[in-house]
């Protein structure tokens, strides 16, 4: 039965604690209203026990108004490497209202060691509005909520310590364990306690086996992770002045969450609206251009420098600075003109004299500035999904300004320009010629793949099965890419905690995490895939050194199922089974 909502659903937001300085909804909030299923009363009438609690599966997004189809399970059996982050999901469902529900997690203890409470976090899983794919199976194109089935999706991992749970609803609970790298291998046991002011406390047991292998720090992982950051979205949502102390304070935990996933690059904008304002919060230029009356140019890098320094020194992401872009969609470029005392725009395409002058003069000055800061070797001029002829013209301007500039492109593979690109990311389902990939790797170049709204599978929309996030990361190593790119980490919609739908793409395409900051089911499962990818690198090297050919071949055989060419329609619906089977091998 279709549940189409013709108007934007109301989401009541309460103000945050008085101690905080912003009026943005970062604390308690109410989820959107949603039509009840047709069999709502019937299914809840069959529930005999007033309140029930059980472990569930992290592969499932449990419906809020349905009685969960789970077999009562009071022990969670988990395995982890040292240094790994593992997750579990429990489900609470009730026939009556529960007030002030709380989750408490004890330390995990073994005979020889303790994993402290500080390494554990618990979250209420909250619901957000989403939609669905297009009839053609993609998530692209302009859309109106009335034209798509609306869904209430379990995705947000809330940061509030307590929550009321309404009668005849299901409340998923999330557990995240960050296993210390110095934890001693062995079996650990702990207890999750769920209580409420009007409910007798209930308990679930956690059994965690810590294995002898160790994952390195995320910033040392092999895969090159590139999720584009949007600082402007943070300023708008948190209601703080752009580039103020309050803005950086708000961004710090958000960007550190990305660092802890292994993020490789810093997203910077070196022109106004590099993507034509496609998001709720467009990107401004982080460089101020001034054309003087005599025709000379001056460039101010204050914002660019502060943003890069913040990401490098305060967050810890410092391997690449991606500068977007020299080929925007509408091909007009901003500057402040002293003669008219106005912001003006140059309208020109790559190859035009005006284009060459605008960018050539800037790039020479930019290279000088970057060298003075010690950042030149880490900086790349970046483009995405631009035509080959335009790329050729832009590459010429860049190389004429400074032949040592690095260049990146996320877009279709073109053999004609491949050698000019330090970092090349191509769409899912495409591949590099094998000799090209091998040569690029020897030259120290980066060859990755990306997904966007085009792919119905694999993806990390709010309605995507959670295991697809894990599958996406594993695919990178299975298909022998150097990493993975996605255009959006935190380009939040107008009301991201309540409505993930957007005017142009399927819900959730714009962002992976929520304000607060709050993680999400899809982001946590994606990080699991990044960890699995690193495990694969480590184990393959170990098997080679120890000449354990049967183990190496078994792992490779399992990985073949994560290649695009081996993915059939039937197998798309079994991503969870694929992931579980691979993780069984990785944790044997």
């Amino acid at each position: 039965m279709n549940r189409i909502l013709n108007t934007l659903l109301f989401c009541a937001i309460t103000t945050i604690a008085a101690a905080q300085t912003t009026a943005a909804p970062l604390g308690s909030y109410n989820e959107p209203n949603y039509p009840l299923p047709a069999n709502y009363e019937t299914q809840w009438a069959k529930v005999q026990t007033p309140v029930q609690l059980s472990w569930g599966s992290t592969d499932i997004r449990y419906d809020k108004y349905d009685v969960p189809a789970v077999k009562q399970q009071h022990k969670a059996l988990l395995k982890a490497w040292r240094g790994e982050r593992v997750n579990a999901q429990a489900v609470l469902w009730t026939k009556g209202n529960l007030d002030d529900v709380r989750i408490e997690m004890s330390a995990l203890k073994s005979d020889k060691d303790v994993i402290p409470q500080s390494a554990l976090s618990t979250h209420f899983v909250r619901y957000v509005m989403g939609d669905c794919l297009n009839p053609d199976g993609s998530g692209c194109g302009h859309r109106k909520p009335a034209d798509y089935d609306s869904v209430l999706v379990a995705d947000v991992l809330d940061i509030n310590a307590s929550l009321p749970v309404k009668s005849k609803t299901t409340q998923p609970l999330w557990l995240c364990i960050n296993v210390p790298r110095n934890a001693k291998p062995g079996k650990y046991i702990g207890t999750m306690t769920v209580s409420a002011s009007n409910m007798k406390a209930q308990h679930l047991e956690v059994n965690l086996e810590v294995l002898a292998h160790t994952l390195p720090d995320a910033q040392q992982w092999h895969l090159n992770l590139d999720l584009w950051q949007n600082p402007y979205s943070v300023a708008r949502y948190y209601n703080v002045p752009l580039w103020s102390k309050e803005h950086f304070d708000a961004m710090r935990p958000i960007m550190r969450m990305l660092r802890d996933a292994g993020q490789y690059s810093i997203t910077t904008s070196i022109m106004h609206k590099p993507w034509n304002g496609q998001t709720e919060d467009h990107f401004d230029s982080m460089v101020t251009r001034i054309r003087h009356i005599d025709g000379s140019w001056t460039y101010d890098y204050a914002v660019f420098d502060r943003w890069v320094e913040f990401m490098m020194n305060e967050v810890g992401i410092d391997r690449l600075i991606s500068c977007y872009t020299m080929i925007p969609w509408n091909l007009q470029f901003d500057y402040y003109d002293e003669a008219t005392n106005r912001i003006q725009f140059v309208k020109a395409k790559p190859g035009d004299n005006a284009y060459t002058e605008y960018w050539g003069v800037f790039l020479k000055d930019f290279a000088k500035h970057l060298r003075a800061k010690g950042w030149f070797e880490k900086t790349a001029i970046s483009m995405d999904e631009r035509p080959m002829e335009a790329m050729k013209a832009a590459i010429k301007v860049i190389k004429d300004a400074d032949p040592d500039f690095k260049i990146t492109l996320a877009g279709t593979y073109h053999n004609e320009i491949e050698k000019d690109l330090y970092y090349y990311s191509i769409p899912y389902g495409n591949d590099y010629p094998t000799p090209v990939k091998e040569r690029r790797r020897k030259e120290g170049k980066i060859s990755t793949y990306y997904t966007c709204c085009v792919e119905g599978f694999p993806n990390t929309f709010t309605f995507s099965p959670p295991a697809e996030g894990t599958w996406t990361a594993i695919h990178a190593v299975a298909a022998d890419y150097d990493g993975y790119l996605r255009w959006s980490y935190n380009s939040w919609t107008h009301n991201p905690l309540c409505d993930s739908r957007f005017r142009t793409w399927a819900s959730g395409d714009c962002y992976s995490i929520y304000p607060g900051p709050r993680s999400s089911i899809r982001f946590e499962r994606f990080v699991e895939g990044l960890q699995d990818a690193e495990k694969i690198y480590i184990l393959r090297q170990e098997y080679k050194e120890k000449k354990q050919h049967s183990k190496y071949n078994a792992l490779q055989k399992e990985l073949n199922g994560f290649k695009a060419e081996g993915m059939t329609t039937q197998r798309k619906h079994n991503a969870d089974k694929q992931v579980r089977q691979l993780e069984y091998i990785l944790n044997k």
Side-chain angles (χ1 to χ4, degrees), residues 120-135:
L120 316 172
S121 63
T122 57
H123 310 270
F124 294 98
V125 179
R126 305 299 299 276
Y127 292 84
V128 63
M129 285 304 306
D131 49 30
C132 59
L133 295 173
N134 302 330

Side-chain angles (χ1 to χ4, degrees), residues 21-96:
T21 59
T22 171
L26 302 176
S28 299
Y29 69 99
N30 295 328
E31 295 168 358
N33 297 315
Y34 192 72
L36 300 176
N39 64 340
Y40 176 72
E41 294 293 347
T42 302
Q43 61 173 317
W44 282 100
K46 296 178 181 179
V47 176
Q48 300 298 317
T49 306
V51 181
Q52 298 185 59
L53 178 68
S54 173
W55 286 113
S57 170
T58 57
D59 290 326
I60 298 174
R61 298 183 187 275
Y62 294 96
D63 291 335
K64 181 175 182 177
Y65 297 113
D66 289 338
V67 177
V70 297
K71 183 179 179 181
Q72 284 284 350
Q73 184 178 352
H74 291 280
K75 290 185 180 180
L77 304 177
L78 306 173
K79 288 187 177 183
W81 288 23
R82 294 182 292 183
E84 183 178 0
R85 190 158 94 209
V86 292
N87 302 291
Q89 184 172 211
V91 191
L92 173 73
W93 63 105
T94 177
K95 294 191 72 172

Side-chain angles (χ1 to χ4, degrees), residues 480-496:
D480 196 28
Y481 296 108
D482 297 327
Y484 170 75
L485 177 150
R486 206 179 195 293
W487 75 276
S488 51
Y489 173 61
N490 69 309
S491 285
W492 291 322
T493 55
H494 177 71
N495 195 354

Side-chain angles (χ1 to χ4, degrees), residues 226-237:
D226 189 1
L227 305 184
W228 296 356
Q229 311 101 55
N230 188 341
Y232 303 95
S233 185
V234 178
R236 183 264 303 176
Y237 189 87

Side-chain angles (χ1 to χ4, degrees), residues 230-248:
N230 188 341
Y232 303 95
S233 185
V234 178
R236 183 264 303 176
Y237 189 87
Y238 281 65
N239 193 25
V240 294
L242 193 62
W243 310 122
S244 65
K245 178 183 182 300
E246 294 79 8
H247 185 201
F248 286 105

